[in-house]
């Protein structure tokens, strides 16, 4: 099979032998069982050989050992089951040029009886593409390694926050008890005022620390733990709104409850959630109109909404409203850290529920909704 | 998830006796498509995918459990128990043939006979044993897989996952019969090609048929002879078929060899 270029080859000449032999890709034809019938000159060149050296061998003999095994275990079966395969990377056997990376496509030509007549393979040299893929792979590995380090760092920071919060609580507890004791010892007006400052300051600080610890719990993957019990939701909601009315005596909270079923929830956490929403509504909403507290419990879900009038939440702020450390505007909010809504959303999540918000010129409405089948009677720590 | 879902077990055919087909490294249960219909009239056919292959539950893949063939052998026993079948004619291709022998070693009462298609107890040459490869060649295979030098581009890997219904394979799922998650494929290759189970051959109590192709680079003819000599109640048939998958390249010859052996039993 010593192939010589035809002397009078015009660009459009239908010389298929020339096309077969001198194409820029390799061609290999095997019989129905994979035994080579013909390889073109290009393929033979890549293997530092001549086309007449190959008939009778198996296709896999052209490949380096990895590709040989891969071909027999993956590609040959695929050719028989699917009739073709596309774009598979393998390496040619090393014939002194190194193992040349190639891509192969293969297809099976079937006869009338549906039996394979022969197989055709097209081979593309792919050294540069392989290099490119290797670079991509290295970049991916590097990115993954960096991400891994960052995640570890973030975890350490959050653990630090959790530990810090926990350790701050003890000395603060001491300050609060001391102030409490002092207050009961017949102090004069000036001292009482100073003790009040200590008490309200340490109370705020205590709340902030609790929020930080809830935040750390949420971030460290454990979520906020809840202990669901069956509660009288109406009573619970009245309690919460009464507490807030004590803090803001000149503001109105109007309630509207349609509670048809008993529910199970963590009362302390739900109080924290609703109290936070009400406090936000009071501080950010219009002072002219009341805040509305609505609750609906039907067979499938329970829902609590807190609604206020006043200027809407800006579009930019909406996107981040449940993110940690988010603050409405630049001013410091009541608890100072911007964790309130993040924690509220985490509490909703712990109840298999969701906290959502809508806001327009008429009103701003935060809604907590959870399925009624929930919660699992055992504490959910997920 | 139960065993049946985990291993994507498919049961078809009728008959009191059970034939279980196990695919080898590189494919899934589809590799039996030309062979198993021939037995559907007389046997209850059990097909499955090894965990990590085909439509098995990839989340059940354990790098610890499947670091050796025993993990797979236990799955085979679990499938048999899950289906409450015994007296099984077990047909295993390549590495699955050895899994069948291990399973029969643990629970011989489940098996009537074992048919080993292109089996090999050890792929690496050793003193007095021809396995077909040097250790360095197997290392080269594992290294090629490790470096993503074989198979499809890494970006294509996720396409094959979670495809519960083979019949509606879209174009985007072409090649999926033989395409596995690259990490799992690497691990399965390591488990398969570094296995040396020559020591169990002499303990096999179940009658067995060894089907050996005449030109198979994965399991050379010498391996068939070696196994036949070691296994007390075995029969060796050297087929005219070439390559590693006679069930795909020569299904008629494979069916005929199995049928005639089952008649002799």
């Amino acid at each position: 099979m010593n192939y010589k270029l035809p002397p009078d080859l015009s660009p459009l000449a239908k010389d298929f032998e020339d096309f077969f032999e001198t194409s820029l890709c390799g061609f290999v034809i095997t019989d129905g069982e994979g035994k080579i019938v013909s390889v073109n000159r290009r393929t033979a060149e890549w293997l530092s050989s001549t086309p007449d050296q190959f008939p009778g061998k198996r296709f896999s003999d052209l490949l380096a050992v990895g590709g040989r095994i891969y071909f027999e275990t993956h590609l040959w079966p695929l050719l028989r089951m699917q009739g073709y395969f596309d774009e598979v990377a393998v390496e040619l056997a090393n014939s002194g040029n190194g193992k040349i990376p190639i891509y192969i496509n293969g297809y099976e030509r079937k006869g009338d009886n549906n039996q394979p007549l022969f197989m055709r393979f097209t081979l593309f040299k792919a050294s540069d593409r392989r290099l490119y893929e290797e670079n991509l792979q290295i970049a991916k590995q590097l990115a993954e390694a960096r991400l891994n380090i960052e995640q570890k760092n973030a975890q350490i920071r959050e653990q630090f926050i959790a530990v810090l919060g926990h350790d701050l609580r003890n000395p603060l507890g001491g300050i609060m008890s001391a102030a409490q004791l002092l207050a009961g010892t017949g102090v004069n007006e000036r001292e009482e005022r100073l003790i009040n400052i200590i008490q309200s300051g340490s109370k705020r600080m205590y709340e902030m620390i609790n929020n930080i610890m809830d935040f750390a719990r949420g971030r460290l993957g454990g979520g906020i733990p809840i202990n669901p019990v069956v509660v009288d939701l109406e009573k619970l909601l009245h309690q919460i709104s009464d507490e807030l009315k004590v803090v803001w005596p000149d503001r109105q909270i109007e309630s509207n409850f349609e509670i048809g079923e008993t529910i199970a929830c963590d009362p302390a956490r739900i109080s924290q959630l609703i109290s936070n929403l009400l406090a936000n509504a009071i501080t950010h909403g219009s002072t002219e109109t009341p805040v509305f507290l609505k609750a609906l419990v039907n067979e499938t879900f329970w829902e609590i909404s807190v609604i206020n009038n006043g200027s809407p939440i800006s579009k930019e702020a909406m996107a981040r409203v449940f993110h940690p450390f988010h603050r409405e505007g630049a001013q410091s909010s009541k608890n100072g850290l911007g964790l309130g809504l993040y924690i509220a959303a985490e509490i909703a999540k712990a109840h298999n529920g969701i906290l959502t918000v809508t806001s327009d010129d008429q009103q701003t409405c935060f809604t907590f909704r959870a399925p009624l089948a929930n919660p699992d009677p055992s504490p959910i720590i997920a | 998830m139960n065993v049946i879902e985990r291993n994507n077990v498919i049961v078809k055919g009728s008959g009191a006796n059970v034939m279980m087909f196990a695919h080898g490294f590189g494919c899934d249960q589809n590799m039996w498509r030309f062979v198993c219909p021939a037995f559907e009239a007389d046997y209850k056919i059990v097909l499955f995918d090894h965990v990590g292959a085909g439509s098995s539950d990839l989340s059940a893949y354990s790098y610890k459990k499947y670091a050796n063939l025993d993990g797979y052998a236990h799955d085979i026993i679990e499938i048999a128990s899950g289906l409450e079948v015994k007296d099984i004619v077990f047909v295993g291709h390549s590495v699955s043939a050895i899994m069948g022998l291990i399973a029969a070693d643990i629970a011989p009462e489940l098996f009537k006979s074992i048919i080993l298609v292109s089996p090999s107890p050890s792929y690496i040459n050793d003193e007095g044993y021809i396995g077909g490869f040097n250790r360095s060649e197997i290392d080269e295979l594992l290294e090629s897989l490790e470096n993503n030098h074989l198979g499809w581009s890494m970006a294509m890997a996720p396409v094959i996952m979670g495809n519960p219904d083979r019949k509606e394979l879209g174009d985007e799922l072409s090649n999926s019969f033989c395409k596995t998650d690259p990490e799992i494929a690497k691990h399965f290759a390591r488990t398969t090609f570094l296995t040396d189970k020559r020591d169990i051959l002499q303990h096999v109590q179940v009658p067995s048929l060894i089907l050996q192709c005449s030109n198979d680079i994965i399991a050379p003819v010498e391996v068939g002879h070696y196994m036949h000599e070691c296994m007390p109640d075995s029969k060796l048939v050297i087929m005219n078929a070439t390559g590693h998958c006679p069930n795909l390249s020569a299904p008629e010859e494979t069916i005929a060899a199995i049928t005639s052996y089952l008649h002799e039993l």
Side-chain angles (χ1 to χ4, degrees):
Chain A
M1 285 184 71
N2 254 341
Y3 176 74
K4 285 202 176 84
L5 270 178
D8 55 345
L9 198 62
S10 78
L12 287 173
K14 290 180 179 167
D15 188 321
F16 290 112
E17 193 186 357
D18 182 71
F19 176 79
F20 181 77
E21 294 294 346
T22 63
S23 277
L24 290 172
C25 47
F27 293 123
V28 178
I29 301 168
T30 74
D31 67 10
E33 287 203 60
K35 211 193 290 172
I36 291 175
V37 178
S38 175
V39 312
N40 72 345
R41 207 160 51 130
R42 187 70 62 189
T43 308
E45 272 170 16
W46 288 339
L47 290 159
S48 313
S49 185
T50 49
D52 56 344
Q53 296 302 305
F54 295 97
K57 293 185 174 178
R58 280 188 71 75
F59 179 86
S60 57
D61 290 331
L62 305 180
L63 307 175
V65 65
R68 207 145 74 215
I69 295 173
Y70 199 80
F71 182 87
E72 297 290 351
T73 53
H74 289 68
L75 303 181
W76 179 256
L78 191 55
L79 212 47
R80 291 296 295 122
M81 288 189 280
Q82 186 177 265
Y84 70 93
F85 63 78
D86 283 339
E87 294 186 59
V88 180
V90 285
E91 289 164 328
L92 286 177
N94 188 350
S95 58
N97 302 331
K99 296 184 286 179
I100 299 175
I102 55 166
Y103 280 85
I104 48 177
N105 295 340
Y107 92 97
E108 173 190 73
R109 173 62 72 83
K110 286 196 175 85
D112 294 338
N113 56 358
N114 213 24
Q115 293 303 304
L117 285 177
F118 55 83
M119 316 281 182
R120 280 190 183 148
F121 300 93
T122 315
L123 289 60
F124 302 93
K125 207 170 172 180
S127 307
D128 281 354
R129 183 169 151 183
R130 178 61 49 80
L131 199 64
Y132 175 66
E133 282 186 6
E134 273 170 4
N135 286 337
L136 277 182
Q137 212 188 333
I138 291 167
K140 186 175 162 228
Q141 281 163 355
L142 276 177
E144 278 167 358
R146 279 197 199 117
L147 181 66
N148 207 354
I149 291 169
E150 276 311 308
Q151 279 169 341
K152 283 206 178 104
N153 282 344
Q155 207 177 9
I156 289 167
R157 276 195 296 271
E158 277 152 14
Q159 266 161 354
F160 170 74
I161 293 172
V163 171
L164 180 72
H166 186 262
D167 288 359
L168 283 175
R169 228 164 33 169
N170 288 334
L172 186 60
I175 294 171
M176 290 170 85
S177 322
Q180 185 78 38
L181 286 174
L182 267 185
T185 54
V187 289
N188 65 33
E189 204 176 307
R190 183 171 168 270
E191 287 163 338
E192 194 186 326
R193 218 171 50 238
L194 293 176
I195 290 169
N196 267 339
I197 292 172
I198 295 174
Q199 281 185 320
S200 69
S202 47
K203 187 165 172 284
R204 276 192 62 197
M205 209 160 146
Y206 195 80
E207 280 169 8
M208 279 192 253
I209 290 169
N210 278 346
N211 280 349
I212 284 177
M213 289 179 64
D214 282 347
F215 164 73
R217 271 194 207 109
R219 300 295 279 195
L220 287 173
I224 289 180
I226 60 166
N227 289 305
V229 291
V230 174
V231 297
D232 182 341
L233 186 61
E234 184 158 350
K235 199 172 149 199
L236 183 71
L237 291 174
H238 277 307
Q239 243 168 32
I240 301 165
S241 90
D242 289 346
E243 276 168 24
L244 285 150
K245 281 176 193 159
V246 174
V247 184
W248 283 281
D250 49 348
R251 296 296 302 274
Q252 261 188 307
I253 299 174
E254 273 185 24
S255 305
N256 179 5
F257 303 148
E258 285 175 55
I259 297 175
E261 310 273 337
T262 57
I263 55 136
C265 70
D266 185 322
R269 288 302 189 181
I270 290 298
S271 301
Q272 188 184 354
L273 190 170
I274 301 304
S275 170
N276 184 288
L277 295 182
L278 285 173
N280 277 349
I282 291 168
T283 31
H284 299 299
S286 155
T287 48
E288 312 295 315
T289 53
V291 167
F292 297 92
L293 174 62
K294 291 183 178 173
L296 170 67
V297 182
N298 62 25
E299 307 83 54
T300 52
F301 63 86
W302 55 296
E303 187 179 270
I304 305 169
S305 305
V306 174
I307 300 156
N308 64 267
N309 305 120
S311 48
I313 302 174
S314 72
K315 255 202 184 119
E316 302 77 56
M318 280 292 263
R320 300 185 46 84
V321 75
F322 295 116
H323 286 208
F325 307 114
H326 168 82
R327 292 181 191 183
E328 177 68 354
Q331 86 271 29
S332 160
S333 64
K334 184 199 144 229
N335 62 19
L337 289 170
L339 286 173
L341 284 175
Y342 169 77
I343 291 165
E346 287 292 307
I347 292 171
K349 217 189 284 174
H351 285 83
N352 286 342
I354 184 168
L355 184 61
T356 53
V357 60
T358 58
S359 186
D360 56 29
D361 289 337
Q362 266 75 52
Q363 61 175 40
T364 294
C365 173
F366 282 86
T367 303
F368 161 78
R369 180 194 274 215
L372 204 60
N374 154 80
D376 198 303
S378 61
I380 294 168
I381 305 173
Chain B
M1 180 170 270
N2 66 30
V3 181
I4 305 305
E5 285 169 35
R6 183 189 68 190
N7 283 92
N8 186 29
V9 178
I10 308 286
V11 181
K12 49 186 168 184
S14 49
N17 296 319
V18 176
M19 244 174 138
M20 185 191 270
F21 290 88
H23 69 86
F25 168 67
C27 289
D28 65 13
Q29 57 181 277
N30 279 285
M31 74 166 342
W32 296 108
R33 54 163 65 179
F34 302 136
V35 169
C36 79
F39 298 96
E40 274 175 28
D42 298 322
Y43 288 87
K44 183 192 256 190
I45 306 288
V46 178
L47 290 158
F48 69 96
D49 296 332
H50 289 303
V51 172
S55 299
S56 66
D57 175 15
L58 294 190
S59 69
Y61 195 83
S62 152
Y63 286 87
K64 191 167 167 234
K65 178 178 176 185
Y66 299 117
N68 55 57
L69 298 185
D70 297 39
Y72 292 99
H74 281 286
D75 285 356
I76 291 167
I77 294 169
E78 280 176 29
I79 293 167
S81 316
L83 295 172
E84 294 178 7
V85 293
K86 52 182 183 157
D87 291 326
I88 299 165
V89 176
F90 180 89
V91 186
H93 176 245
S94 195
V95 68
S96 284
I98 308 303
M99 295 172 192
L101 294 183
I102 299 170
D105 197 38
I106 302 168
E109 70 283 359
L110 291 178
F111 300 92
K112 187 171 173 226
S113 63
I114 297 197
I115 292 163
L116 307 101
V117 183
S118 310
S120 174
S122 180
Y123 297 89
I124 299 172
N125 300 331
D126 193 10
E127 224 179 302
Y129 174 77
I130 295 173
F133 298 96
N134 298 319
R135 173 67 203 235
S136 62
E137 291 179 310
I138 294 299
D139 286 341
E140 193 184 322
L141 164 75
L142 299 177
E143 201 187 302
S144 301
L145 286 169
E146 195 58 47
N147 298 332
N148 270 315
H149 283 183
L150 292 177
W152 288 268
S153 300
M154 52 186 176
M156 300 208 22
V159 173
I160 57 118
M161 284 172 222
N163 168 43
D165 194 354
R166 296 262 133 188
K167 292 184 198 77
E168 290 169 16
L169 278 179
D171 279 349
E172 77 276 13
L173 286 169
S174 61
N175 301 335
S176 64
F177 299 134
C178 297
K179 201 149 86 175
T180 33
D181 174 86
E183 290 305 317
I184 293 177
K186 281 175 210 168
H187 193 243
F188 192 16
R190 184 166 288 276
T191 302
T192 299
F193 288 102
L194 295 180
T195 282
D196 184 354
K197 280 284 173 188
R198 284 178 288 166
D199 56 335
I200 66 156
L201 299 180
Q202 54 189 335
H203 302 303
V204 178
Q205 297 159 28
V206 182
S208 46
L209 168 69
I210 302 162
L211 291 181
Q212 172 74 54
C213 288
S214 35
N215 178 12
D216 175 3
I217 66 144
I218 310 275
V221 174
E222 288 87 345
V223 172
H225 286 293
Y226 177 89
M227 292 184 75
H228 177 47
E229 275 162 34
C230 293
M231 290 162 61
D233 194 2
S234 66
K235 184 187 173 187
L236 172 66
V237 172
I238 308 283
M239 301 171 72
N240 292 324
T242 56
H244 185 54
C245 304
N247 46 338
L248 287 165
S249 54
E252 289 82 11
E253 192 187 0
T254 309
I255 292 165
I258 295 174
T259 311
S260 106
Y261 176 74
L262 292 176
H263 281 179
E264 285 169 29
L265 269 187

